């Protein structure tokens, strides 16, 4: 819109009499208002930088320090012990000339007050970092809190008393520690013991010992050097080597999805749902830009989590490269990119510095839906380039999208706040086969038609014909909890704050002078069209191979599990071990994602959920051991799992440390048989819990049908399963299971049935004698302490 205004704001014609200049005051006024909005954002960012820079103090605290120093000096006392006098001696000559002696003393006192204030801020920040480095609270049982932890909680509350901004804690968060090589190797060998025979375990132990005595300590020295220099010794390498250097398709293999409400669709009007959804997302972006979001915390505590992943949530695109991709982030964008029936559009969401209302965005979306124009040659399936292999996409992009009309249109998509697809299909739980419909819904969000999503965008919103919605997120810039936080806010704001009229339209009025969305232009030569066909073939083969199964488990939820004094996550993970054993007849290396956001720029760590204790419980249950023996083994397995989770959260995991040692070995050009074998082990069971972080936004008591389905991802191993689950309320757990049709040994529906059966049987075992169950280990302190 701003470009159009600039084009018509100044019109001139050259005549024999001279130049006839014509001004459009309406256009100039809109340019002026856009500029005002831009300057307001600059001022807001500058203000937030000041507030963050002095946290945990406040800017106003400088005034108290200055008044205190001046008052003390007025009482003929020198709190600076001579420093003010020395500052006065070193004032610029111009001040000595222009100011009286009393004025010079006043300036010197203010300079001293400022230095003292800054020193106090650094001291407070150092104390806060020390407090946030204490993690022993996580390992204490509920009701047995040590005096040290009680004092720690009090001090932490005192230093965290003022309302922080989104990024206020960033500089106070501790750095991720580098574990000792011996500790990591010991934990690794313990994790693989149930998966190896005695000769295999002895061989792996010898490899580990050889690595520790020969190469391990050398690599560790380089890693500790990086930890001293870098903010986080893992995150940059993790982003580059795990995500950006992957040359295969990111669709299915990397991207993941999030779903709409399970039972409810707030409106069946597609354009209206798009209007509210886009508005809610832009309101969230405004909160991020202004840092008005409350910092995320460990559930039930005041302990902050790193918010760095929010920085690249919007206006971000993964651009392909021959050797490695690059994440590009732009400061701000006033438009979104829209795809509908093979056509691409730019939709301006601001007009004269004002965010369009949801009703106005609905009006624009309806214009797109009603647009009868056909796709340009080669336009319809252009998005398949982002779904196929990365190298051909990088080469085509460099050759045919680096100049001219194609570059301009591609820039619009890549610089957009996010991508929106107005899908021409209906999805969700409907008809006589609700579970089958959920499976199709999951596949649609995961890969769609392989060309109607822009998989390189940080996230893409999908609005279906019947008003159902969902998202597809690129993985390199952030992990699922960050996107889940965004999506929770979007769903809640859409349904409970923005709302709809009785006939299903967005509320508000429409400014009829709004210009329509801009249709993007392309010039797609035959070479590009051939590559689109090739990429689409690769993507469709991958998409057709994915077997998705989504099912809500309603027999019980965390409410009943917690009554047994068992961690719901441990309960589910042990159930997954039992289900996998029954499905495949063996145990496997299991990946559960845990966060390391207690540390600055932390991302994830792996919890190796298949332990000696969980395997012992599964074997005992399958062998028909007595209930008391099974309960005892389950309690041991649950406590072991909780301890593994705590260790991972506090920087004492296994896999990120070994991964970084492997990267260092590659930089040094040395080979390690131990590291090579460890990094090549397949994760045949990859699991992740989608956390519910903003339960206060959803009034499930009055609106019990507004429950989220969560989201899911594709299988990590060709012969394995991907399992995502979300614990909703007290009585429901939603599961997303994925596998590949090409593997004859896996079946997502069969495994889903095994999961449900395992949950029911373990609950039956633990519920056989509730009184004895109540004597088991307590839930983790992180849920109950603060």
């Amino acid at each position: 819109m701003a470009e159009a205004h600039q084009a018509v704001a100044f019109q001139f014609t050259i005549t024999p009499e001279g130049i006839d200049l014509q001004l459009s005051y309406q256009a100039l006024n809109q340019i002026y208002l856009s500029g005002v909005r831009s300057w307001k954002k600059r001022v807001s960012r500058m203000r937030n930088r000041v507030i963050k820079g002095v946290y945990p103090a406040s800017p106003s605290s400088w005034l108290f320090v200055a008044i205190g120093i001046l008052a003390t000096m007025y009482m003929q006392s020198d709190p600076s012990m001579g420093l003010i006098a020395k500052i006065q001696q070193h004032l610029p000559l111009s001040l000595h000339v222009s100011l009286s002696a009393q004025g010079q003393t006043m300036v010197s006192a203010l300079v001293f007050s400022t230095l003292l204030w800054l020193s106090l801020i650094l001291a407070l920040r150092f104390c806060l970092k020390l407090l946030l480095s204490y993690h022993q609270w996580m390992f204490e049982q509920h009701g047995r809190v040590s005096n040290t932890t009680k004092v720690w909680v009090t001090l932490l509350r005192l230093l965290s008393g003022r309302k922080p901004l989104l990024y206020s804690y960033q500089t106070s968060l501790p750095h991720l520690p580098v574990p000792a090589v011996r500790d990591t190797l010991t934990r690794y060998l313990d994790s693989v013991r149930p998966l190896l025979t005695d000769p295999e375990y002895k061989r792996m132990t010898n490899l580990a010992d050889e690595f520790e005595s020969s190469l391990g300590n050398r690599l560790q020295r380089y890693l500790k050097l990086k930890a001293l220099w870098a903010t986080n010794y893992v995150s940059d390498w993790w982003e580059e080597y795990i995500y950006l250097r992957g040359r295969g398709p990111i669709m299915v293999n990397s991207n993941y999805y999030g779903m709409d409400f399970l039972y409810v669709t707030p409106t069946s009007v597609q354009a209206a749902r798009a209007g509210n959804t886009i508005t809610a997302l832009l309101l969230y972006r405004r909160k991020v830009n202004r840092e008005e979001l409350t910092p995320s915390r460990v559930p039930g505590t005041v302990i902050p989590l790193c918010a760095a992943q929010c920085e690249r949530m919007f206006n971000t695109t993964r651009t392909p490269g021959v050797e490695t991709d690059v994440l590009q982030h732009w400061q701000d964008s006033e438009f979104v990119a829209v795809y509908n029936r093979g056509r691409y559009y730019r939709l301006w969401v601001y007009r004269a510095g004002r965010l369009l209302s949801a009703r106005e965005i609905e009006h624009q979306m309806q214009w797109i839906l009603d647009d009868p124009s056909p796709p340009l040659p080669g336009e319809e399936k252009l998005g398949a380039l982002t779904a196929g292999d990365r190298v051909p996409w990088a080469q085509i992009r460099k050759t045919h999208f680096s100049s001219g009309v194609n570059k301009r249109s591609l820039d619009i998509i890549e610089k957009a706040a996010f991508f929106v697809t107005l899908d021409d299909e209906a999805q969700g739980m409907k008809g006589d086969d609700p579970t089958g419909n959920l499976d199709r819904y999951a596949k649609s969000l995961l890969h769609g038609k392989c060309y109607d999503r822009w998989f390189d965008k940080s996230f893409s919103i999908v609005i279906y014909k019947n008003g159902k919605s969902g998202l597809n997120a690129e993985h390199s810039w952030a992990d699922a909890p960050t996107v889940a936080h965004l999506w929770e806010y979007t769903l809640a704001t859409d349904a409970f704050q923005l709302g709809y009229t009785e006939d299903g339209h967005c509320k508000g009025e429409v400014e009829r002078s709004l210009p329509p969305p801009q249709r993007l232009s392309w010039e797609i030569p035959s070479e590009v069209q051939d590559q689109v066909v090739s990429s689409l073939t690769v993507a469709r083969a991958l998409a057709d191979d994915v077997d998705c199964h989504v099912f809500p488990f309603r027999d019980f939820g965390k409410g009943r599990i917690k009554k047994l004094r068992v961690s719901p996550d441990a309960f589910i993970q042990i159930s997954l071990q039992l289900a996998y054993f029954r499905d495949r007849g063996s145990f496997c290396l299991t990946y559960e994602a845990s966060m390391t956001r207690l540390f600055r720029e932390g991302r994830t760590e792996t919890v190796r959920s298949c332990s000696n204790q969980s395997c012992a419980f599964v074997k005992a249950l399958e062998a028909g051991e007595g209930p008391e023996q099974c309960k005892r083994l389950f309690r041991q397995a649950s406590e072991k799992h909780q301890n593994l989770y705590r260790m991972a959260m506090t920087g004492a995991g296994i896999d990120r440390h070994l991964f970084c040692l492997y990267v260092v070995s590659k930089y040094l050009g040395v080979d390690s048989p131990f590291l090579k074998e460890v990094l090549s082990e397949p994760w045949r069971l990859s699991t992740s819990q989608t956390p519910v972080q903003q339960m206060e936004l959803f009034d499930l008591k009055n609106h019990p049908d507004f429950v989220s389905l969560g989201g899911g991802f594709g299988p990590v191993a060709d012969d394995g399963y991907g399992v995502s689950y979300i614990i909703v309320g007290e009585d429901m757990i939603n599961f997303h299971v994925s596998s590949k049709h090409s593997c004859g040994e896996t079946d997502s529906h069969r495994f889903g049935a095994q999961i449900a059966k395992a949950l029911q049987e373990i609950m039956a075992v633990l519920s056989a004698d509730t009184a004895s169950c109540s004597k088991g280990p307590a839930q983790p302190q992180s849920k109950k302490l603060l």
Side-chain angles (χ1 to χ4, degrees), residues 40 45 85-86 97 100 107 123 135 268 295 297 311 454 467 481 532 621 632 642 648-649 671:
K40 283 182 178 179
R45 290 189 182 111
K86 287 191 176 183
V97 174
S100 64
V107 171
H135 298 131
S268 60
R297 303 177 187 275
E311 296 172 356
W454 200 268
V532 167
L621 190 64
R632 183 180 64 83
Q642 284 300 100
M649 285 184 64
D671 287 329

Side-chain angles (χ1 to χ4, degrees), residues 497-646:
Q497 293 187 27
L498 298 175
Y500 299 90
T501 61
E502 292 184 0
D503 55 354
H505 292 282
C506 297
K507 297 177 181 178
E509 301 298 329
V510 178
E511 181 184 334
R512 295 298 174 182
S513 61
L514 285 175
Q518 175 191 350
R519 177 76 186 275
L520 301 190
S521 298
W522 307 92
E523 294 177 359
I524 310 299
S526 58
E527 181 182 351
V528 175
Q529 295 187 37
D530 291 342
Q531 183 55 55
V532 167
V533 172
S534 178
S535 296
L536 186 58
T537 301
V538 171
R540 278 178 172 164
L542 181 59
D544 292 343
D545 197 23
V546 177
D547 178 20
C548 289
H549 180 46
V550 180
F551 66 97
F553 181 81
R554 303 183 184 89
D555 290 19
F556 57 84
K558 72 175 182 181
R560 189 172 172 189
I561 295 173
K562 291 172 72 173
K563 286 181 180 178
L564 300 174
R565 299 183 62 79
V566 175
S567 159
D569 184 69
F571 186 96
I572 295 171
Q573 285 291 328
I574 296 171
S575 299
L576 291 175
Q577 293 300 314
L578 175 60
Y580 188 88
F581 185 81
R582 289 173 170 173
D583 187 79
R584 301 291 292 273
S586 63
F587 298 105
C588 72
L589 196 61
T590 304
Y591 183 112
E592 181 187 6
S594 166
M595 66 163 186
T596 55
R597 290 169 62 200
L598 290 171
F599 305 96
R600 192 171 179 182
E601 294 184 13
R603 292 201 59 165
T604 60
E605 177 58 274
T606 305
V607 179
R608 293 179 168 233
S609 301
C610 182
S611 63
N612 290 303
Q613 290 79 1
S614 65
C615 292
F617 165 74
V618 170
K619 290 178 179 177
L621 190 64
E622 291 298 274
E625 297 282 350
E628 293 304 317
Q629 173 72 352
C630 288
K631 289 178 189 175
R632 183 180 64 83
L633 292 175
F634 179 87
R635 297 289 176 183
Q636 293 176 357
S638 175
E639 184 60 32
K640 175 66 174 180
H641 180 269
Q642 284 300 100
N643 192 59
L644 289 173
Y645 206 98
R646 297 170 191 141

Side-chain angles (χ1 to χ4, degrees), residues 216-521:
N217 290 327
R218 179 187 172 194
L219 301 179
Q220 180 81 343
R221 285 193 293 271
Y222 282 97
L223 208 52
K224 286 187 174 182
L225 182 62
K226 185 192 177 186
L228 289 173
W229 177 255
T231 306
N232 189 296
Y233 81 92
V234 175
S235 294
D236 57 338
W237 284 349
W238 187 255
E239 180 179 298
E240 179 179 359
Y241 293 106
I242 298 301
Y243 295 116
L244 296 181
R245 282 187 178 264
R247 300 296 81 198
I250 61 175
M251 183 198 76
V252 175
N253 294 327
S254 179
N255 287 28
Y256 53 96
Y257 65 87
M259 284 185 167
D260 197 359
F261 296 117
L262 174 59
Y263 301 115
V264 176
T265 304
T267 179
S268 60
V269 181
Q270 185 178 17
R273 191 71 196 280
N276 267 10
T277 300
I278 292 172
T279 301
L281 288 166
L282 294 172
L283 291 175
Y284 189 93
R285 185 179 72 166
R286 178 187 291 174
K287 284 180 172 288
V288 171
N289 290 342
R290 296 178 179 177
E291 302 185 33
E292 294 174 348
L293 284 179
T294 303
S296 295
R297 303 177 187 275
V298 176
T301 77
V302 297
I303 301 163
L305 301 176
C306 180
Q309 294 180 32
C310 294
E311 296 172 356
R312 298 182 294 182
M313 184 176 292
F314 296 92
N315 328 311
T316 299
T317 296
R318 173 174 175 165
T319 57
V322 175
E323 293 185 359
T324 182
D325 292 354
V326 176
L327 273 177
Q328 288 190 293
H329 173 72
W330 290 269
Q331 189 63 40
D332 208 354
S333 177
E334 296 192 346
F335 56 87
V336 298
V338 182
Y339 177 92
N340 174 248
R341 300 200 311 273
R343 300 140 332 149
Y344 291 89
Y345 299 84
R346 168 161 59 179
L347 170 62
W348 291 97
V349 291
Y350 282 87
R351 177 174 172 82
R354 173 184 66 86
L355 176 63
L356 297 185
S357 69
R359 184 70 182 90
E360 289 172 327
I361 295 177
E362 177 191 351
H363 176 75
Q364 299 288 72
M365 286 295 186
Q366 191 61 53
W367 188 94
I368 292 174
L369 290 170
D370 294 339
D371 182 8
S373 63
L376 297 172
E379 180 184 20
E380 180 182 10
K381 300 178 180 178
L382 193 61
L385 293 171
T386 68
D389 292 323
R390 304 304 290 174
V391 174
W393 171 210
Q395 293 170 338
I396 285 291
R397 187 179 189 275
K398 182 178 180 180
T399 305
H400 297 281
F401 293 87
S402 58
S403 63
V405 64
N406 287 346
K407 182 182 188 304
R408 289 193 295 273
S409 294
L410 182 62
D411 281 348
I412 289 171
I413 294 175
E414 294 185 338
K415 294 180 180 180
F418 48 87
F419 190 83
V420 181
T421 295
L422 296 174
D423 206 297
D424 54 5
E425 296 180 348
Q427 295 291 349
M429 190 192 309
K430 50 188 174 57
D432 299 328
D433 183 20
T435 303
N437 286 318
L438 290 180
D439 298 346
R440 288 188 287 273
Y441 183 22
K443 282 181 67 66
S444 177
L445 288 173
L446 185 61
H447 54 70
K449 298 174 183 175
C450 302
Y451 59 80
D452 54 351
R453 319 278 187 259
W454 200 268
F455 295 101
D456 289 352
K457 287 297 291 181
S458 54
F459 65 91
S460 299
I461 300 300
V462 184
I463 309 296
Y464 291 99
K465 189 176 182 179
N466 61 338
K468 214 68 181 170
S469 69
L471 65 79
N472 181 285
E474 199 276 318
H475 207 326
S476 63
W477 64 275
D479 300 305
T482 301
V483 177
H485 192 278
L486 163 72
W487 194 234
E488 285 176 5
Y489 177 91
T490 302
L491 291 178
T493 302
D494 169 23
F496 301 120
Q497 293 187 27
L498 298 175
Y500 299 90
T501 61
E502 292 184 0
D503 55 354
H505 292 282
C506 297
K507 297 177 181 178
E509 301 298 329
V510 178
E511 181 184 334
R512 295 298 174 182
S513 61
L514 285 175
Q518 175 191 350
R519 177 76 186 275
L520 301 190
S521 298

Side-chain angles (χ1 to χ4, degrees), residues 109-129:
L110 292 177
V111 171
F112 173 76
S113 300
T114 302
L115 294 175
L116 177 61
W117 179 63
L118 293 174
S119 299
L120 291 173
I121 288 171
L122 292 176
L124 288 173
R125 188 174 293 170
F126 178 74
C127 292
L128 184 57
K129 180 174 284 190

Side-chain angles (χ1 to χ4, degrees), residues 144-178:
R144 299 180 182 179
V145 182
S146 66
N147 291 330
T148 302
T149 299
K150 291 177 181 178
V151 173
W152 169 77
V153 170
T154 303
L155 292 174
L156 188 59
R157 287 185 181 276
L158 287 174
L159 283 180
S160 304
R162 193 174 65 83
K163 184 179 179 180
L165 298 175
L166 176 61
Y167 302 119
S168 290
Y169 287 108
Q170 289 303 102
T171 55
S172 300
L173 292 173
H175 288 199
L176 184 68
V178 182

